[in-house]
Amino acid sequence: MTAEAVAAIAPAQMTLLSGRSSDLGAGLMVQRLLPQRALRMLGPWCFLDLIGPVTFGPGEGLDVAPHPHIGLQTVTWLASGALLHKDSLGYAQRIEPGQLNLMTAGAGIAHSEESPPDSRAPLFGVQFWVALPENAQCCEPAFDHLTDLPVFEQGGVKVCVIMGTLGHLMSPARCYSPLVAAELSSAAGGELSLALDPAFDYGLCVLSGTAALQGETTEPQAAVIPGQLCFLGGGRSTLGITLSAGARCILLGGQPFVRPVKIWWNFVAHKEETIRSALDDWNNGRRFLPVEAYEGEPLQAPPWPDNVRLK
Ligand code: MN
């Protein structure tokens, strides 16, 4: 093998990326890990938010009024607290820790997200978006709530396969391109080695504790703390992970898209025209059905930026 060929398959250096604070409304701050200038997508994952932990007083809570999505799946996963999802398909579903709330927007869906009034525990979790590949961009919208996901334990670490495939385990969640999302947690601390798919790009974010990552033995370790995303790149077949006591993190991966998708407001698409037409339909009461179960007005879209082509 030539030196060039070795370089081509050698894994990229692990890169630690920090999130930036973003306001979800009503002062609820999230850490946005993706997209960011240094990394637009991680495989098909195009948007990563860490939510909380935040404790609400009586009468307070998250209240995101109905808004539209196209071209993506929202993956909501909690470590603590609860959320109430309502959508234009007629679903009203409470989500608790360890359950996957998976909304496939496809051609178009609207939903709201609220704190249930009886929820006392701090809200702490993630919402990630998976971009749909071009051939599934306009699929039928769907909503899935999965409570029985595959789990294994190794070296004191519990691994739950939320979406896609990790090792020999496959989540039953619907997905449209090769990917993985898995939660790793450890009460007393632990260490495990995972088999990775060299065709995937991978990354890991931490909700609590620390995760020390070991790639090739010649590579320096990376220590990941809450609020960071460690981008691992592709070409890797194994990864060693050491978790501190009480650590919880999420491993993400997937086959990268040939071109990054375009994102504007809550819309994801492969072409700007697709986003413009969804915006026009939302503003004019077409395509997106009302979220009947939500009491209150839907969100208004921001104005389309003048003279700007989406990157
Ligand atoms: Mn949403």
Side-chain angles (χ1 to χ4, degrees), residues 64-65 67-69 72 74 103 110-113 127 129 266:
V64 182
H67 56 279
H69 287 286
L72 57 81
T74 62
M103 185 181 76
H111 75 147
S112 62
E113 294 156 293
Q127 188 175 83
W129 295 357
N266 294 301

